[in-house]
Amino acid sequence: MPFYIVILGPPGVGKGTQAKILSETNKLAHISSGDLFRENIKNQTDLGMLAKSLMDKGELVPDDVTIAMIKDRISCPDCEAGAILDGFPRTPAQADALEKMLAEFKGQVDKVPYITAVESVLIERISGRWTCRANGHVYHEKFSPPKEAGKCDIDGSEIYQRDDDKIETVTRRIKVYLEQTAPLVDYYRRRGKLVEIDGTQPVEKVTELLLSALKK
Ligand code: AP5
């Protein structure tokens, strides 16, 4: 049976950082809706153009195109054993669509780690984040700086600050999260899938909490 994990939490809480670690330790595919949109933006596809216009304002991309993009990705052979979903679902309609999609693969959402932190922590993390141009490796100028300023340790490419990480956009992203995504906390709690994780701890400690929650 495939195993699917949905990592839930506000912008900047560390979903991508933890999803990457879990994907490597558990040999499961990492599906990040934000990364998929950024790849489409880089390749200047129609979806990328639409996504950019909304992402730059901190708004969500419409459910129908987002669901179709995830359905395509989750059908790839590297997801046969399951996947770690990061940034999807983000609305109750997306969560319902995911349930239907996974049923086609005889699977279901198995666990939903919900990573939490207060807004000041989110803003500090997002405003110090640097992302590598080539492969999306993530750094933080204070908590996990690259060895050489401006360069990715892993592939040597330039590191940059995301357009949607400007403070006014971040404030809007947090508001949109509270209005449209936070209802998923109850959605998954009611289904007995939710495990709450204190995201204010250092990266290694959060990973430890996640791994022990996933074992239960
Ligand atoms: P997306 O890319 O998914 O952004 P997000 O959810 O806002 O999350 P972030 O990527 O900002 O943060 P994160 O939680 O992954 O944190 P990270 O690990 O990088 O989405 C962007 C946009 O795309 C959305 O606004 C929307 O427009 C669109 N979109 C995406 N999915 C969609 C969907 N399903 N439906 C509709 N639209 C969608 O960490 C942040 C920083 O903190 C890093 O620098 C990291 O090094 C550092 N850090 C991480 N953990 C710790 C720690 N424990 N201690 C200290 N520093 C830490």
Side-chain angles (χ1 to χ4, degrees):
M1 276 267 272
F3 191 71
Y4 298 100
I5 299 168
V6 166
I7 303 195
L8 196 60
V13 78
K15 301 182 296 297
T17 301
Q18 296 299 332
K20 191 168 186 317
I21 298 170
L22 287 186
S23 130
E24 281 158 10
T25 47
N26 290 281
K27 308 264 178 295
L28 287 174
H30 171 196
I31 301 183
S32 156
S33 45
D35 285 353
L36 291 172
F37 286 132
R38 282 183 283 278
E39 208 175 296
N40 274 279
I41 293 172
K42 197 158 117 186
N43 296 332
Q44 300 189 336
T45 66
D46 289 346
L47 175 60
M49 297 303 101
L50 169 70
K52 182 158 174 53
S53 67
L54 293 156
M55 286 165 83
D56 284 354
K57 290 189 274 191
E59 303 296 333
L60 295 187
V61 180
D63 283 339
D64 56 348
V65 288
T66 304
I67 290 165
M69 174 181 81
I70 295 295
K71 197 166 183 194
D72 266 6
R73 178 66 189 91
I74 217 165
S75 310
C76 293
D78 66 318
C79 297
E80 258 168 35
I84 296 168
L85 290 139
D86 148 25
F88 182 93
R90 243 176 166 95
T91 63
Q94 292 182 13
D96 288 342
L98 178 64
E99 215 164 279
K100 288 198 191 105
M101 233 181 262
L102 298 186
E104 286 180 30
F105 307 119
K106 311 250 176 298
Q108 58 169 345
V109 172
D110 291 286
K111 280 266 187 296
V112 181
Y114 165 42
I115 311 181
T116 61
V118 293
E119 189 166 324
S120 55
V121 170
L122 306 177
I123 289 175
E124 184 184 29
R125 287 189 185 167
I126 291 180
S127 52
R129 170 171 50 198
W130 289 80
T131 305
C132 114
R133 191 76 73 188
N135 295 300
H137 299 117
V138 173
Y139 297 88
H140 190 282
E141 57 195 26
K142 181 166 154 197
F143 304 119
S144 52
K147 292 191 187 100
E148 195 180 327
K151 251 190 172 182
C152 175
D153 293 351
I154 301 163
D155 57 37
S157 78
E158 177 206 16
I159 56 173
Y160 74 104
Q161 288 199 289
R162 277 168 41 180
D163 287 343
D164 62 342
D165 282 353
K166 294 187 184 81
I167 186 66
E168 30 331 333
T169 317
V170 171
T171 312
R172 179 66 195 149
R173 281 164 57 197
I174 293 173
K175 193 157 186 279
V176 167
Y177 166 81
L178 292 172
E179 288 167 0
Q180 301 191 47
T181 308
L184 294 183
V185 172
D186 265 351
Y187 180 102
Y188 285 118
R189 186 179 281 131
R190 279 199 308 273
R191 286 161 173 74
K193 314 274 185 191
L194 201 82
V195 268
E196 224 168 296
I197 307 287
D198 176 9
T200 57
Q201 306 288 324
V203 172
E204 300 71 24
K205 181 69 191 164
V206 177
T207 306
E208 214 178 278
L209 294 171
L210 268 166
L211 288 173
S212 95
L214 291 175
K215 271 190 203 132
K216 282 184 196 151

